Amino acid sequence: MLQLKEIRKSMGGQEVLRGVNLKLGEAEKVVVIGRSGCGKSVMLRVIMGLLQPESGEVFFEGKKLTGLSEEAWNPYRRKIGMLFQGAALFDSLSVFQNLAFPLREQGEKSEKVLREKVAEALKIVSLSGTEEKMPAELSGGMKKRAALARAIISRPDIMLYDEPTTGLDPIVADSINRLILHLGKMFGMASIVVTHDMVSARMVGDRISYLHEGKIYFEGTPEQVDRCEDPLVRDFVRGHAEGIGITG
Amino acid sequence: MNVLGKVGSIFTDSCHTAGGVFLLLGDTLRSMFRYRIRWDQLWEQMFFIGIRSQVVVLTTGAFTGAVFAAQVWFQFKRFGMESAIGPTVSIAMCRELGPVLCCLLLAGRVGAAMAAELSSMKITEQVDALRALGVYPTEYLIVPRFLALVISAPILTGLALVTGIGCGYFVAVKIFGVDGAYYWDNTIKFTDSKDVVIALIKSFIFAVIIAAIACHKGMNCPPGTAGVGKTTTEAVVNASLSLLIVNFFLTVLLNALLYSN
Ligand SMILES: Nc1ncnc2c1ncn2[C@@H]1O[C@H](COP(=O)(O)OP(=O)(O)OP(=O)(O)O)[C@@H](O)[C@H]1O
Ligand SMILES: [Mg+2]
């Protein structure tokens, strides 16, 4: 359904992505892990067409998206939702208006329908009753959840999550993981989840891809990743577990 | 060699920026016709630019008219030319002082606000979020701002002219004791509708310059909070300077067009 072929992209004079290949099937959930700064967010931006790669192609439902003009991208972007690492809520709009924004863009005019859908979406991310708040009045985690609600409210075919559980308490983080699974089951929504959180990765991933030095270094099911003997992968997966062991 | 290189790079940078501004202007005009106008956005911007700038613009107009009338009176009375004060004030207000000062203040107030707002949206990824939701930023962010400024500026300039000429009258007649009927009569006799047209055309073009430069700067903000400050300052400075430079050529051009016979 979505495919990246040999994506190369430099940022600020340094080659960040050096030939990334990734395939996402119907209703599949792929988790992308990797060290901080390895280019995970850049990869999501390339998929969304927010950054143009120097070479390589992005295919969506068999159609090549790379090379399309900014405006020609827009119909496809509406089928792909993205949760930004920094939430990126529109800070001049209230939470309600933020969530209603994608629906209004897709032609929904009835205030009643909008109210209902927004209330429902907020309930899913346990933010009920915050409609009239401005983004500046929300905590970091609440912003993230509001942004998540905005991204999924129009039921895109694919969701790209950039660190959906970072900065959330474990209980809310767990509910977000369940939400990702739920959306996949209920609506057949495929997802790419970028995360550092191995708990979340094991829970939601059908497949885990380890991005290293601009390439997908290792790919496999959560079990395969756990059994993997490669030192780089093992260090990443264990490093995290040991970290928790020390602080906890 | 080094100096030459610097001059060269400043020159190419300026050309690059100017090219960017023209591209943005073209894109804005195209988007204006290609997409439906977002009236709610436009009203919001009109309110901010048109209504909220009035105090600034009226004060500017009033005191410019007043001080100019006073200065003209100081000089003209030496030659016994009191009767020429009215038309001098009104023509100068219409042709230069009104549009130029009014738009310089708009560059400071509105241009800065546009650049600051757009650049902070840019660095907090809100512009990307907009794109990710399938909305073209030019159409959503720039067109309403552009239209609002281009519509408001001539109206505000008109208001500034009226207050400026009114205050000039007040200063000359009520304070310095010039004959009121005579003053007014001459003002009307020598002020042409073409003078007002010049004011409106100039303010319209200045508004285009301010909006295009401020929006271009805002949308090309370098990352980081320092970028917002730098962008805002540059937007105001560049817009003000371009406005003053364009004013000269515009004056020559309009004179040739309107008074060719
Ligand atoms: N706008 C930019 N200009 C210059 N360099 C950039 C820019 N954005 C990202 N980079 C560089 O690209 C690299 C990858 O950044 P990216 O944000 O994708 O990392 P990441 O994998 O998402 O990290 P994290 O897990 O910390 O979010 C980094 O080395 C960063 O310095
Ligand atoms: Mg990132």
Side-chain angles (χ1 to χ4, degrees):
Chain A
M1 145 167 245
L2 185 80
Q3 193 178 8
L4 304 191
K5 272 192 188 160
E6 285 298 319
I7 296 288
R8 287 175 173 272
K9 176 72 193 167
S10 299
M11 298 294 296
Q14 158 210 11
E15 195 164 43
V16 178
L17 302 181
R18 303 175 189 170
V20 171
N21 290 297
L22 193 73
K23 227 175 173 168
L24 182 69
E26 215 64 52
E28 194 180 15
K29 292 177 289 296
V30 173
V31 170
V32 177
I33 56 175
R35 305 284 296 276
S36 188
C38 73
K40 303 182 296 295
S41 301
V42 169
M43 186 185 86
L44 294 187
R45 287 166 169 274
V46 167
I47 297 176
M48 211 60 198
L50 303 177
L51 290 173
Q52 293 296 333
E54 276 101 45
S55 71
E57 285 136 12
V58 178
F59 287 93
F60 174 66
E61 288 174 344
K63 169 125 177 71
K64 183 176 151 197
L65 296 188
T66 15
L68 288 183
S69 75
E70 175 70 23
E71 288 167 282
W73 260 99
N74 283 340
Y76 300 100
R77 285 190 183 129
R78 290 180 186 198
K79 295 186 184 177
I80 309 176
M82 176 159 176
L83 170 66
F84 285 81
Q85 191 167 358
L89 291 170
F90 302 128
D91 54 17
S92 59
L93 303 180
S94 69
V95 170
F96 170 76
Q97 286 168 322
N98 262 288
L99 265 69
F101 188 91
L103 298 175
R104 289 201 171 120
E105 283 310 309
Q106 289 172 15
E108 182 58 65
K109 290 214 173 59
S110 148
E111 195 68 12
K112 192 165 151 276
V113 175
L114 287 173
R115 287 272 160 202
E116 275 169 13
K117 287 198 169 170
V118 168
E120 187 198 328
L122 284 176
K123 192 161 157 247
I124 294 181
V125 296
S126 30
L127 276 181
S128 290
T130 54
E131 273 99 336
E132 298 318 319
K133 284 211 160 57
M134 296 305 281
E137 299 170 271
L138 302 179
S139 77
M142 289 161 88
K143 277 187 197 145
K144 196 99 192 218
R145 282 182 279 152
L148 176 57
R150 179 180 69 183
I152 59 172
I153 200 165
S154 56
R155 304 272 179 263
D157 300 342
I158 300 181
M159 260 305 294
L160 312 177
Y161 303 87
D162 200 343
E163 308 197 5
T165 54
T166 310
L168 302 181
D169 69 64
I171 297 167
V172 176
D174 186 60
S175 72
I176 298 294
N177 291 332
R178 282 169 202 279
L179 172 64
I180 296 172
L181 289 172
H182 172 79
L183 290 169
K185 256 192 223 117
M186 289 293 290
F187 306 104
M189 204 182 276
S191 354
I192 297 181
V193 184
V194 163
T195 187
H196 294 290
D197 176 358
M198 285 309 294
V199 178
S200 157
R202 289 199 187 88
M203 184 168 162
V204 302
D206 297 328
R207 206 146 43 87
I208 297 182
S209 298
Y210 182 56
L211 185 64
H212 182 69
E213 293 188 333
K215 286 193 172 164
I216 300 292
Y217 181 78
F218 179 87
E219 199 167 29
T221 61
E223 293 74 38
Q224 284 171 328
V225 170
D226 282 337
R227 283 201 308 270
C228 177
E229 287 302 319
D230 186 283
L232 280 172
V233 180
R234 215 178 47 203
D235 280 357
F236 188 92
V237 176
R238 274 219 212 122
H240 198 90
E242 279 164 14
I244 288 176
I246 291 164
T247 50
Chain B
M1 191 55 216
N2 210 347
V3 177
L4 208 64
K6 257 207 177 108
V7 172
S9 82
I10 290 176
F11 179 74
T12 46
D13 279 357
S14 320
C15 287
H16 191 252
T17 310
V21 171
F22 277 108
L23 283 180
L24 179 120
L25 200 56
D27 192 29
T28 307
L29 292 176
R30 192 183 56 87
S31 303
M32 221 181 275
F33 296 103
R34 168 109 194 258
Y35 298 90
R36 71 190 166 80
I37 303 276
R38 292 175 185 265
W39 295 105
D40 46 344
Q41 296 283 319
L42 182 58
W43 282 126
E44 199 179 296
Q45 292 298 325
M46 287 284 283
F47 181 77
F48 172 71
I49 297 169
I51 314 280
R52 302 274 292 278
S53 300
Q54 273 180 1
V55 177
V56 179
V57 165
L58 293 186
T59 313
T60 311
F63 281 91
T64 308
V67 84
F68 194 64
Q71 287 290 4
V72 171
W73 183 76
F74 297 151
Q75 306 306 320
F76 279 20
K77 76 166 184 213
R78 297 197 295 183
F79 311 108
M81 284 168 49
E82 274 100 338
S83 60
I85 297 176
T88 308
V89 170
S90 85
I91 289 175
M93 278 305 289
C94 288
R95 292 200 183 178
E96 298 297 338
L97 298 175
V100 170
L101 289 177
C102 179
C103 289
L104 278 178
L105 275 138
L106 285 180
R109 199 190 122 82
V110 179
M114 279 184 188
E117 210 177 344
L118 292 178
S119 53
S120 36
M121 287 190 77
K122 171 98 185 167
I123 64 163
T124 54
E125 298 185 318
Q126 290 178 57
V127 175
D128 282 336
L130 203 58
R131 294 169 65 201
L133 292 170
V135 176
Y136 191 44
T138 308
E139 169 250 338
Y140 185 79
L141 295 173
I142 299 183
V143 168
R145 284 175 171 75
F146 180 86
L147 277 179
L149 185 56
V150 163
I151 296 169
S152 306
I155 300 175
L156 289 170
T157 302
L159 289 175
L161 292 183
V162 174
T163 41
I165 293 170
C167 285
Y169 175 87
F170 178 81
V171 168
V173 175
K174 301 288 178 200
I175 297 181
F176 296 123
V178 176
D179 180 349
Y182 206 41
Y183 183 101
W184 197 234
D185 222 39
N186 276 336
T187 301
I188 290 176
K189 194 158 128 202
F190 290 103
T191 312
D192 206 341
S193 60
K194 280 183 187 168
D195 295 319
V196 179
V197 169
I198 289 178
L200 298 182
I201 293 179
K202 277 189 171 179
S203 55
F204 174 83
I205 291 178
F206 295 161
V208 171
I209 294 173
I210 297 169
I213 290 181
C215 291
H216 175 259
K217 274 281 167 205
M219 296 302 273
N220 291 286
C221 174
T225 332
V228 177
K230 188 165 161 276
T231 299
T232 310
T233 317
E234 283 180 3
V236 174
V237 172
N238 291 2
S240 306
L241 291 181
S242 318
L243 187 158
L244 290 171
I245 295 168
V246 168
N247 181 42
F248 171 74
F249 294 102
L250 204 52
T251 302
V252 175
L253 182 74
L254 285 176
N255 200 61
L257 285 178
L258 291 171
Y259 299 94
S260 49
N261 39 352

